[in-house]
Structure formats: structure tokens, C-alpha cells
Amino acid sequence: MGQGTRTALVALVTGIAVAATGACGSPDRTPGADSTSVPGECLHVDVNGSPRWQGGTISAQVSQLGEELQQVANEHPDESSGVAFCSDVSSVGIYLSPANGPTRARAVELARAHPALVRITEVPHSLADQLAAMDTIRRLPEGSPMIAGYGPDARTGGLHVRIAPLDSSADEIRAQSGADVAAVRARIVAAVGPDLPLYFQVREAGTADGLAGS
């Protein structure tokens, strides 16, 4: 399996092939021994939030495990925020919400059977939560600074939000600071609540926007 297969699996779950550069929130569920939660990050990203692959070939076994996790995640979008092959392609990760249902049961079963090949990461929100938040944001009246795009982030259970700069520099937005970030964060928090992890990106002039809602 090559680059196309890796990207396809990420995109299938998240709807966009981007991810945040770091966790922005803590899960409501504390990982227990039965969750087989693995410390450390499975999927690495570059400074633009795009998945960063380290080369290599996905084994037939890891590919099959990814497909199994993908299928159960697709069937229960309220239980997981996504599935992605790890950056070194030696294993596959699934991001589980606090829900305790078929997705968690199958993920734990596969992780116990294949502890070196399946990684579980706990996140505070599911894909269904993320999509509901996106619907709420979509209905917000336009304001300044403008929300130029948004999309789900499997790695945090939150959202990427792209901002068209008004008062802040691109560097400030990338650093998650500045007046634009504060203004947009306040609008989103007022609409969807304070517990949704948010990661802000700058909308560069003249560039295509791959996030939803743009």
C-alpha cells in the first residue's frame, strides 16, 4: 500500500486530510487499563497540519486492521473521531470518544490481539459531535475577522478553524494568539460551548482552502 492508501484512510474519517499540530483538550474519560491506550503520538503532522509520513510500506495485516477499524467507526460516528495509519506505517490508530459502544469494544479487542499494531487514543468528542459543531458554526452570521473555513480534527476530537487575518499577523494566528484568534474563539465558544478543542490556521491570500465551510 502506498501514499494514496494512507491519505485515503485519513480523509475517509475526518473528511479532510489535515490534523492539528498538538492536542488542544483533555478527554472526559480517563483511560483505564482495559483501553490499551498507548502514550505518545501515532500520527505526526508538519507545520501546516498535514500528515507526515516516514516512508515504508503498510503491511497487509496493518492494512486489514485499519479497514476493520474504519468500518466500525463509519457505522458508529458518535463513538470515534477518526482512524489513521501511524506516521511510520507500522501500526494504525483509532481516536475514541468517551462513548462506550461497539467501536470501543472492537478497538480494544483488536488492540489486545495485536498490541504492536493497533493504537488507541482517547479524545473528548466524536465525529458526530464535530459535525454538529460545524453545522452550528455554519449558521453563525458573518463577522470580522472572518471564519474562512473549518473541519474536523481526528487527533484532538475538535476542529480546525481557518481565519482570514484582520488585526493579527499570520505568525500570531499560527501561535494560537492575537486579536483575530481571540475574537473568533469567543464567537465559536458562545455558539457551541467551551469544551470543543479548537486549532486556528491562517487563510493566506490567494490560496485554496481545503476546509469545509469556506
Side-chain angles (χ1 to χ4, degrees), residues 50-150:
S50 299
R52 188 178 67 204
W53 311 107
Q54 298 172 9
T57 302
I58 301 172
S59 70
Q61 187 176 22
V62 170
S63 179
Q64 181 179 352
L65 289 168
E67 290 175 3
E68 288 189 52
L69 290 171
Q70 181 72 74
Q71 180 177 353
V72 70
N74 286 346
E75 292 171 353
H76 305 280
D78 58 330
E79 297 179 10
S80 168
S81 65
V83 177
F85 291 119
C86 296
S87 288
D88 64 3
V89 305
S90 67
S91 54
V92 62
I94 184 168
Y95 300 86
L96 295 177
S97 75
N100 193 9
T103 303
R104 179 175 293 276
R106 184 57 176 155
V108 169
E109 180 183 3
L110 290 176
R112 285 175 171 166
H114 309 281
L117 304 181
V118 175
R119 299 193 181 195
I120 292 175
T121 299
E122 306 283 345
V123 294
H125 296 287
S126 67
L127 179 60
D129 296 333
Q130 293 167 312
L131 295 177
M134 288 170 61
D135 284 340
T136 299
I137 295 172
R138 189 175 292 115
R139 294 192 294 268
L140 290 176
E142 281 195 20
S144 294
M146 185 178 73
I147 298 174
Y150 42 86

Side-chain angles (χ1 to χ4, degrees), residues 118-189:
V118 175
R119 299 193 181 195
I120 292 175
T121 299
E122 306 283 345
V123 294
H125 296 287
S126 67
L127 179 60
D129 296 333
Q130 293 167 312
L131 295 177
M134 288 170 61
D135 284 340
T136 299
I137 295 172
R138 189 175 292 115
R139 294 192 294 268
L140 290 176
E142 281 195 20
S144 294
M146 185 178 73
I147 298 174
Y150 42 86
D153 174 26
R155 294 174 66 247
T156 67
L159 296 181
H160 278 265
V161 180
R162 189 158 288 171
I163 302 173
L166 183 66
D167 297 318
S168 297
S169 69
D171 286 343
E172 284 177 320
I173 294 173
R174 292 189 187 101
Q176 309 302 292
S177 64
D180 292 343
V181 166
V184 172
R185 187 188 300 276
R187 286 161 58 195
I188 294 176
V189 167

